[in-house]
């Protein structure tokens, strides 16, 4: 099956710093990648959708200048949380979809971000 | 607005059968998916229904009625490892999937 990796799996940072999270599709080309945020015992909230080579589409209420998304290749997307604050602490999950799997998303293992 | 409703918690006994319902209200509808998520892990895909009817995959089955905007996930021969959160999700456009709030399934021996 399709595999998606995320790095790092866990990060703790000080308030005001920036954190970059990488999402890679390991054995398929991801034409579309999605970034979600999940708070404890809650559902996945879509933050943005990105297609390779184009600007990300952000969901309403998500600050594009705070959550920078780059989908530079068909196997890599990055999410940078700029000037992180404690309220940004959450579980960030990426997912990817290829041309052969338009009805299914493959999720990465997630990144636990804690901002002190 | 767009919404998906599913029970927040369900408890069942090992070896039994459990059904998790999902009703949805979205501006577009391409299909209904189900995902399983264990604590601290990533969601994993279980099933996808684009047409009305029942889809069976091993111990898991998923049903869709588009006229009723309703679907369910049926889990049979429950095992302890099935304890997890289950999310229904609607593909509302070519590129967007909306997730329900999740149902936490607890299984007792």
């Amino acid at each position: 099956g399709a595999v998606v990796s995320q790095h790092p799996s866990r990060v703790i940072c000080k308030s005001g710093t920036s954190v970059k999270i990488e999402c890679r599709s390991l054995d398929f080309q991801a034409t579309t990648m999605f970034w979600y945020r999940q708070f404890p015992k809650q559902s996945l909230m879509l933050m943005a959708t990105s297609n390779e080579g184009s600007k990300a589409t952000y969901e309403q209420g998500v600050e594009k200048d705070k959550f920078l998304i780059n989908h530079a290749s068909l196997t890599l997307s990055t999410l940078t949380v700029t000037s992180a604050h404690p309220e940004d602490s959450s579980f960030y999950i990426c997912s990817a979809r290829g041309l052969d799997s338009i009805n299914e998303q493959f999720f990465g293992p997630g990144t636990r971000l804690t901002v002190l | 607005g767009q919404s998906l409703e599913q029970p927040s918690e369900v408890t069942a006994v090992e070896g039994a059968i459990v059904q998790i319902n999902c009703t949805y209200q979205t501006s577009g509808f391409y299909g209904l998916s189900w995902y399983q998520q264990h604590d601290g892990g990533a969601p994993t895909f279980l099933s996808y229904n684009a047409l009305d009817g029942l889809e069976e995959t091993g111990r898991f089955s998923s049903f869709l009625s588009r006229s009723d905007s309703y679907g369910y996930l049926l889990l049979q021969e429950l095992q302890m490892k099935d304890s997890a959160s289950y999310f229904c999700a609607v593909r509302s456009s070519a590129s967007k999937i909306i997730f329900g709030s999740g149902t936490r399934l607890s299984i007792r021996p």
Side-chain angles (χ1 to χ4, degrees):
Chain A
V3 179
V4 175
S5 70
Q6 265 183 257
H7 178 80
S9 58
R10 184 182 296 268
V11 58
I12 300 173
C13 69
K14 292 183 179 180
S15 185
T17 60
S18 293
V19 175
K20 179 185 282 189
I21 303 170
E22 290 187 351
C23 177
R24 293 182 185 272
S25 57
L26 298 185
D27 52 2
F28 70 102
Q29 293 185 324
T31 51
T32 306
M33 284 187 168
F34 305 86
W35 287 95
Y36 294 85
R37 182 167 52 183
Q38 186 177 34
F39 293 105
K41 300 188 187 305
Q42 294 188 23
S43 187
L44 292 85
M45 300 302 297
L46 180 65
M47 299 175 67
T49 302
S50 71
N51 294 296
E52 185 264 339
S54 61
K55 290 185 178 179
T57 301
Y58 289 81
E59 294 300 300
Q60 193 172 8
V62 178
E63 300 174 57
K64 61 180 67 177
D65 294 331
K66 181 170 183 62
F67 298 99
L68 301 178
I69 291 172
N70 185 290
H71 192 162
S73 75
L74 285 172
T75 59
L76 173 64
S77 176
T78 61
L79 166 68
T80 301
V81 183
T82 62
S83 187
H85 291 286
E87 57 265 30
D88 298 324
S89 298
S90 186
F91 193 48
Y92 291 87
I93 309 175
C94 73
S95 70
R97 190 179 69 198
L99 285 174
D100 297 331
S101 61
I102 60 173
N103 296 323
E104 181 178 351
Q105 292 184 42
F106 302 99
F107 284 83
T111 297
R112 176 77 59 193
L113 171 64
T114 303
V115 185
L116 303 176
Chain B
Q2 305 196 93
S3 67
L4 285 80
E5 300 287 334
Q6 54 182 128
S8 59
E9 293 185 33
V10 172
T11 301
V13 178
E14 189 176 16
I17 299 173
V18 71
Q19 178 173 312
I20 300 173
N21 298 320
C22 174
T23 58
Y24 58 88
Q25 186 174 7
T26 57
S27 57
F29 183 83
Y30 284 61
L32 181 71
S33 302
W34 287 92
Y35 287 82
Q36 178 192 62
Q37 185 181 31
H38 287 96
D39 287 344
T44 55
F45 174 82
L46 293 177
S47 67
Y48 178 78
N49 292 65
L51 303 175
D52 289 353
L54 188 69
E55 296 277 347
E56 299 181 61
T57 307
R59 294 187 297 115
F60 294 0
S61 303
S62 58
F63 172 82
L64 173 66
S65 170
R66 289 175 299 171
S67 61
D68 295 323
S69 297
Y70 164 76
Y72 66 72
L73 178 69
L74 189 73
L75 298 85
Q76 303 182 70
E77 301 174 20
L78 286 171
Q79 301 175 10
M80 297 302 292
K81 67 178 181 179
D82 297 329
S83 294
S85 290
Y86 292 84
F87 294 90
C88 60
V90 166
R91 185 169 163 230
S92 61
S93 72
S95 61
K96 188 169 182 176
I97 295 180
I98 303 169
F99 283 80
S101 55
T103 298
R104 190 169 189 85
L105 174 62
S106 299
I107 299 172
R108 296 182 283 111

